[in-house]
Amino acid sequence: MYPSRFAYEAPATIGEAVAILDRSGPEAKVMAGGQSLIPMLKLRFASPERIVDINNIQGLDYHRLDADGSLHIGALCRHEDLEFSQVIADSHPTLYAAAAVVADPIVRTRGTFVGSVCHADPQGDWAATMIALDGRIVAVGPNGRREIPMKDFVLGPFTNALAYNEIAVEAIIPPAKGEARGGYLKLERRIGDFATASVAVALDMDGDVVRRAGCALAGVGGKTIDANEAISVLVGQPLTADSMAAAADAVAAAADPRTDHRGSADYKRHIVKTFVTRILSTVASTEQKAA
Amino acid sequence: MTSLYEEIPAAPPADVPTRRVTITVNGDRRTLDIEPRLLLSHLIRQGLQLTGTHMGCDTTGCGTCTVLLNGRPVKSCTVLAVQADGREVETVEGLSSAQQLHPLQEGFKQEHGLQCGYCTPGMMMAAKALLERNPNPTEDEVRWALSGNICRCTGYQNIVKAVLWAADKMREQEG
Ligand SMILES: Cc1cc2nc3c(=O)[nH]c(=O)nc-3n(C[C@H](O)[C@H](O)[C@H](O)COP(=O)(O)OP(=O)(O)OC[C@H]3O[C@@H](n4cnc5c(N)ncnc54)[C@H](O)[C@@H]3O)c2cc1C
């Protein structure tokens, strides 16, 4: 398989890349890791006239924790950069757990966090963590820079809120209100498969009290499921057997799974409930040990 | 009918725009005029006739086309050849010198790490990248690092042993 013909540019700056997109019109496409785009080009699901490859732009491969506690992930930060990051291991349990289960180790050397969020695959792992952590995307276009909250960024399956002449330059995760806890659990048939069901949970803890709770699901709906409201039953109190059970039920009810070759709808909903319970009990048991 | 595979690298039709790239492949600098849509796997196999890199699924799933791009493993069916411009590519042919097998190649021989051999080049390149970062991996770490590579003979046990054998050997050589 090979792509249909396209013009190719690999500019050295964001400004140049935006200018090329602006004058090319909607038939141009940005390429980051290429780990979703190249397969789509080969299958001819996409046949853009022009590819604007951002891999030659220096200084986009960072991820950094600012003094205020906000995490910034540049457009060329690869999945594996997060998987092997001490910063992420120490500060962001939800992202750290997800990093190891996105695709497979070789795809992770190329694919990017921001590219994955832009791709807006309902089964994508990073979009779920972004919703649970209340992240936002920074876009740069001909008229400058704007920030798009994650809840407004994904418009539908494989559709994001970027204009054709905008590039997503970074993702921002706001500082935790207290200590960041949580996790990411994914059921996959084998490594490299997309999620049968996966659950991102992010808790901000003030001592043993939950200050903020975030949750999102992948693989169990036509889009990434925002379960932030469902899990908010946990807020304002310590984790108890009752609150955790109520949260797991509420999140499972928010899932919208379909029966397919990966499993029945009931099965997937059951997995969601089990995963929420597992992540919360792990947080609760480490809280107890710490106390 | 000539296949596109043969057509693109050798001499694309005069009216097709190409891009001049300089790629270092196994230490040799090559300057080439190629079509942007040419995949790295096609450049390596059809253009440069380095047929040690195999094509398996062609859908980023199996990993037999794995090569190193600036030292990190990539599935060459899912990288554009133009993206290797100014960068270094290492294929399985780059492992051994004329006189000596690479410890990974020796390990695959010693531990019978291949049956049909189709997945072997990708396994070796993924393993090389692992050992560069982690010279003393556990069995689990080896399995994890090779989890993007599929062996349809299901000979994983011996592949893992071969990589651990090579790791020992390489640490010995380092002294
Ligand atoms: C075998 C295989 C298994 C996979 N398994 C998983 C999995 O389990 N979970 C998962 O989440 N993903 C999985 N993926 C997808 C992978 O994570 C991709 O890396 C990711 O979806 C896209 O990121 P990318 O950097 O490769 O983007 P690209 O492929 O380069 O781009 C994807 C799309 O986003 C747009 N885009 C990318 N970056 C930008 C930007 N900075 N600004 C504007 N637009 C942009 C592109 O135009 C394109 O439309 C898998 C992929 C493969 C090949």
Side-chain angles (χ1 to χ4, degrees), chain A residues 29-40 54 75 79 101-104 107 110-112 114-116 118-119 123-126 160 162 166-169 186 188 192-195, chain B residues 59-61 75:
Chain A
K29 261 206 159 302
V30 173
M31 182 176 291
Q35 299 303 290
S36 293
L37 186 52
I38 295 176
M40 290 206 306
I54 61 173
H79 305 321
V101 296
V102 176
D104 68 45
V107 171
R110 294 284 298 163
T112 65
V114 171
S116 164
C118 288
H119 190 51
Q123 286 173 304
D125 295 299
W126 291 128
N160 65 44
L162 295 174
E166 282 182 312
I167 295 178
V169 295
K186 171 177 179 178
E188 53 186 350
D193 194 16
F194 282 87
Chain B
T59 54
T60 336
K75 296 187 179 178

Side-chain angles (χ1 to χ4, degrees), chain A:
Chain A
M1 289 188 295
Y2 47 89
S4 54
R5 291 206 166 98
F6 52 78
Y8 172 85
E9 313 217 30
T13 65
I14 294 168
E16 249 179 279
V18 168
I20 297 167
L21 289 174
D22 193 43
R23 62 169 181 267
S24 308
E27 287 309 310
K29 261 206 159 302
V30 173
M31 182 176 291
Q35 299 303 290
S36 293
L37 186 52
I38 295 176
M40 290 206 306
L41 296 174
K42 290 170 71 177
L43 292 165
R44 311 282 172 116
F45 288 158
S47 320
E49 283 166 12
R50 187 176 300 274
I51 295 283
V52 182
D53 184 349
I54 61 173
N55 283 281
N56 288 349
I57 302 178
Q58 299 295 314
L60 283 181
D61 57 357
Y62 61 91
H63 64 281
R64 113 186 148 243
L65 200 57
D66 274 2
D68 68 352
S70 60
L71 178 71
H72 299 251
I73 301 175
L76 289 178
C77 175
R78 317 276 170 182
H79 305 321
E80 74 162 8
D81 297 335
L82 300 171
E83 179 185 6
F84 297 120
S85 161
Q86 198 56 50
V87 169
I88 299 297
D90 293 342
S91 64
H92 279 82
T94 308
L95 295 177
Y96 191 62
V101 296
V102 176
D104 68 45
I106 302 181
V107 171
R108 288 200 292 272
T109 70
R110 294 284 298 163
T112 65
F113 180 97
V114 171
S116 164
V117 175
C118 288
H119 190 51
D121 186 327
Q123 286 173 304
D125 295 299
W126 291 128
T129 64
M130 279 284 276
I131 291 176
L133 289 158
D134 194 25
R136 55 194 196 273
I137 289 286
V138 180
V140 171
N143 302 321
R145 174 190 155 103
R146 67 177 175 129
E147 292 191 1
I148 310 165
M150 193 55 198
K151 64 178 170 35
D152 302 326
F153 186 73
V154 176
L155 303 180
F158 307 102
T159 315
N160 65 44
L162 295 174
Y164 70 89
N165 53 11
E166 282 182 312
I167 295 178
V169 295
E170 75 170 7
I172 303 179
I173 309 285
K177 302 178 176 117
E179 202 195 338
R181 307 297 305 275
Y184 190 85
L185 286 176
K186 171 177 179 178
L187 180 71
E188 53 186 350
R189 294 175 303 175
R190 56 178 162 73
I191 284 179
D193 194 16
F194 282 87
T196 299
S198 59
V199 175
V201 171
L203 301 181
D204 295 350
M205 305 291 292
D206 186 357
D208 65 351
V209 176
V210 178
R211 284 280 297 277
R212 177 188 173 272
C215 179
L217 314 174
V220 287
K223 57 183 171 55
T224 312
I225 303 278
D226 181 335
N228 285 328
E229 174 130 2
I231 205 162
S232 68
V233 297
L234 295 173
V235 174
Q237 50 175 329
L239 292 172
T240 63
D242 283 350
S243 76
M244 292 192 287
D249 282 336
V251 172
D256 184 23
R258 298 283 136 85
T259 296
D260 65 11
H261 57 288
R262 289 189 172 87
S264 71
D266 282 348
Y267 171 69
K268 293 179 191 179
R269 200 185 294 281
H270 181 77
I271 295 296
V272 168
K273 185 172 163 174
T274 305
F275 280 180
V276 174
T277 309
R278 270 189 208 164
I279 296 171
L280 293 178
S281 344
T282 306
V283 173
S285 66
T286 38
E287 286 300 317
Q288 264 165 13
K289 267 187 225 135

